[in-house]
């Protein structure tokens, strides 16, 4: 059978320069190139959009009214497309009612298993669903948690009542509630709470109302004593806190948290559902097991009726293991997954599909993967291909690019200097190519030989969050520390939860979106738009608000959006450029005001690099330089933040925070979305931060970053309950000799 191709001719989306391309079908094609070179413009804005648009056109107008709408890409021709399945970096949402089990449909199969063979029989599969009234716990409505009191914030157990052990303001030493408590005669007021017996602590916290004789104003009176937590719950939780004054809400809120439901103890289900068991386990017990343990329990179920269901369950659980998610549980809520974990969970949904000749499109699927696990991802991509599918991947990791049948390198640079195809062919050919990707794949960084000495320490004490096993570790001050380990080993738990709880003043730069509004852009987010507006106002002797498309200067026809949305009933809502301002967002009179010969829209259409050459305003120039330093010199000042990738969002946050001194910076996988040619720039920024008196902590899998850290904290050895321990703390050079560390093994390669 002759090779078929997806044909693209004259693609001009975003920065693409009349790109024409042939992508082989039923092969793995990987697109690479610097950030902003045009990879996503080809793969997502051209190929994926057109495939989705054509797919939706097969439905009736009535059905199309409920489907997302895709504009026809700017291209001369796009031919031979297959049905698209897009697996992107967007984190899975769904709230408390969505779990790994529900999103992959594995929990639905598990419910069917319990309905068939569980004893005692309690009903159909919906009885085991925490999203169905027939199965959900009546106390917490299937959430598994109820609002409760955060005891860590409410009590200081190292103190006695007389020393102020109760941190809630109403029990401050000398206040009425404290006076009554200490005069009740029920407690030893000089005894530290950590020395209380279980009975004494139970009485202090949860005692039912009892009459106590105490002295008041010289008289003996009977008053009612109630456990301090029960009293707090009655006053502020049972009664809706939102109905109370704003001052009360602010006072009380820090002491409240979600705690386990007292009835189902977090299992989410009714007592009837929890009474039904298979081999001694109820369905909540199985959902709480890590996948690599659960699969063994499932395989051991020996019941004639259950065999087909057991086989299906084992197959789907094996998919999770194959992709490196064996440490997850089916009960894990989807909105707690990282971007990389979310993407790999989405992949699992498609592995059991019987569809073939599908076009799978992946956006950097290696995100969040330790080098040890990249081969698993490659094997899954190959399985999809071998079933007869076309696999298209946007990727920077050389170990993933190596698995490609065909490589397309986009460049040569970013923004207006990109948008062209600079190489097409095999991975072997890419290694010989004179492109940025080819050059930097051939280049490897060595472990640095000089390390900064710590200027102090930031301790994390007895951390038990998630899978952390009572971890105590000192993070050095004034150096660059890399926190490493396989996915699920406890890196994020250690830093984002344990460390930040004990050191809340740190500057956190993660991958959460910086904005989803079309009205927010790099100029507004970084604050330089205020200075630009003032400069225009002073140059023209008018109000600064005229130069805001969210204020006085907005085009009255489109309200500053630049586009008009027209509802065509069954045809849906159509977006078209505003005819009055021609998409420029401003009134005509505003466009007549110039600064150094440029209008406000001319400035917003400038890239960061162009703006750097244009502005001589000190504050504006320093912020623009920071954006350039983090590799974003190709972004336009007026580009909506909703169009940025996760890695770009993280770097724009980093640029906004670079001016701080004497701070602790926490960076979560800052190499996400970064081409290898930009990693040296990122390293230079992190080193500059440290050299100016800051402490930088980076959670990272990238070996070039790890090799150039001053200190490494390696967690593991595996994910889930097999991780959560510190395997090593020291310099990268010292890590090389450590046995049992996957990071050490890959540093030596």
């Amino acid at each position: 059978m002759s090779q078929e191709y997806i044909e693209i001719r004259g693609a001009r989306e975003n920065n693409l320069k009349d790109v024409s391309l042939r992508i082989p079908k039923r092969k793995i094609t990987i697109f690479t190139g610097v950030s902003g070179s045009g990879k996503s413009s080809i793969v997502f804005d051209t190929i994926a959009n057109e495939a989705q648009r054509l797919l939706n056109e097969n439905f009736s107008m009535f059905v199309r009214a409920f489907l997302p709408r895709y504009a026809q890409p700017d291209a001369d021709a796009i031919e031979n497309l297959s049905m698209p399945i897009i697996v992107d970096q967007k984190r899975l949402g769904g709230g408390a009612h969505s779990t790994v089990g529900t999103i992959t449909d594995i929990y639905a199969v598990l419910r069917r298993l319990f309905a068939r063979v569980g004893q005692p029989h309690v009903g159909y599969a919906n009885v085991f669903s925490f999203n169905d009234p027939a199965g959900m716990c009546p106390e917490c409505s299937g959430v598994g948690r109820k609002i409760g009191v955060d005891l860590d914030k409410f009590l200081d157990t190292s103190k006695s009542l007389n020393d102020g052990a109760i941190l809630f303001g109403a029990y401050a030493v000398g206040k009425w509630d404290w006076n009554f408590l200490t005069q009740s005669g029920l407690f030893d007021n000089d005894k530290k709470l950590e020395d209380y017996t279980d009975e004494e602590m139970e009485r202090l916290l949860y005692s039912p109302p009892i009459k106590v004789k105490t002295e008041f104003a010289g008289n003996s009176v009977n008053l009612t004593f109630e456990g301090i937590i029960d009293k707090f719950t009655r006053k502020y939780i049972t009664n809706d806190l939102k109905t109370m004054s704003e001052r009360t809400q602010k006072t009380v809120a820090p002491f409240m948290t979600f705690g386990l439901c007292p009835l189902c103890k977090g299992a989410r289900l009714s007592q009837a559902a929890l009474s039904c068991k298979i081999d001694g386990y109820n369905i909540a017990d199985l959902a709480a097991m890590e996948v690599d343990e659960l699969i063994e329990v499932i395989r051991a179920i020996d019941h004639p009726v259950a065999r087909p269901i057991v086989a299906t369950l084992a197959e789907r659980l094996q998919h999770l293991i194959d992709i490196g998610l064996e440490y997850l549980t089916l009960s894990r809520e989807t909105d707690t997954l990282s971007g990389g974990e979310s993407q790999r969970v989405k992949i699992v949904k498609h592995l059991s599909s019987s569809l073939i000749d599908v076009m799978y499109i992946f956006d950097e699927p290696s995100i969040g993967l330790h080098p040890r696990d990249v081969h698993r991802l490659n094997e899954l991509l190959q399985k999809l291909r071998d079933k007869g599918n076309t696999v298209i991947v946007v990727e920077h990791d050389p170990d993933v690019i190596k698995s490609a049948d065909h490589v397309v390198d986009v460049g040569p640079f970013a923004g207006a200097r990109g948008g062209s195809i600079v190489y097409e062919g095999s991975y072997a050919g890419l290694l010989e190519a004179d492109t940025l990707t080819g050059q930097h794949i051939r280049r490897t960084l060595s472990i640095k030989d000089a390390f900064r000495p710590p200027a102090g320490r930031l301790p994390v004490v007895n951390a038990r969050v998630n899978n952390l096993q009572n971890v105590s570790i000192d993070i050095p001050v004034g150096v660059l520390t890399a926190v490493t380990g396989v996915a699920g080993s406890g890196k994020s738990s250690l830093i984002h939860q344990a460390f930040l709880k004990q050191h809340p003043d740190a500057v956190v730069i993660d991958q959460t979106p910086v904005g989803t509004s079309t009205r927010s852009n790099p100029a507004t987010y970084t604050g330089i738009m205020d200075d630009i507006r003032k400069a225009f106002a002073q140059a023209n002797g008018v109000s600064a608000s005229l130069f805001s498309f969210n204020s006085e200067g907005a085009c009255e026809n489109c309200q500053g959006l630049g586009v008009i949305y027209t509802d065509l009933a069954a045809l849906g809502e159509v977006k078209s450029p505003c005819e009055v301002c021609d998409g420029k967002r401003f009134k005509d009179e505003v466009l007549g005001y110039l600064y150094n010969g440029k209008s406000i829209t001319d400035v917003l259409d400038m890239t960061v690099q162009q703006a750097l050459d244009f502005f001589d305003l000190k504050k504006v120039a320093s912020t623009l330089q920071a954006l350039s330093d983090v590799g974003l010199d190709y972004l336009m000042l007026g580009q909506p933040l909703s169009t940025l990738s996760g890695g770009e969002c993280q770097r724009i946050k980093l640029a906004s925070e670079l001016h701080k001194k004497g701070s602790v910076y926490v960076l979560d996988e800052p190499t996400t979305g970064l081409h290898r040619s930009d990693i040296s720039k990122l390293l230079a920024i992190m080193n500059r931060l440290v050299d100016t008196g800051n402490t930088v902590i980076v959670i990272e899998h990238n070996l070039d970053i790890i090799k150039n850290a001053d200190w490494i904290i390696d967690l593991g050895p595996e994910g889930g309950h097999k991780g959560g321990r510190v395997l090593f703390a020291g310099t990268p050079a010292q890590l090389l000799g450590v046995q049992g560390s996957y990071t050490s093994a890959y540093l030596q390669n």
Side-chain angles (χ1 to χ4, degrees), residues 48 113 136 144 150 155 233 249 253-254 278 293 309 347 351 426 430 450 458 475 516 531 559 672 678 689 718 729:
L113 177 67
M136 66 176 55
D150 188 336
L155 301 175
T233 302
Q249 290 184 46
I278 298 175
E293 288 186 359
I309 303 176
I347 294 173
L351 287 174
S426 66
L430 179 66
L458 297 168
I475 295 177
T516 56
D531 296 289
Q559 307 302 313
T672 297
D678 288 323
L689 279 172
E718 299 286 346

Side-chain angles (χ1 to χ4, degrees), residues 646-659:
E648 287 170 330
C649 287
Q650 192 171 20
R651 278 177 281 148
I652 203 170
K653 286 187 216 175
L654 179 57
S656 301
E657 301 283 0
L658 285 179
H659 62 282

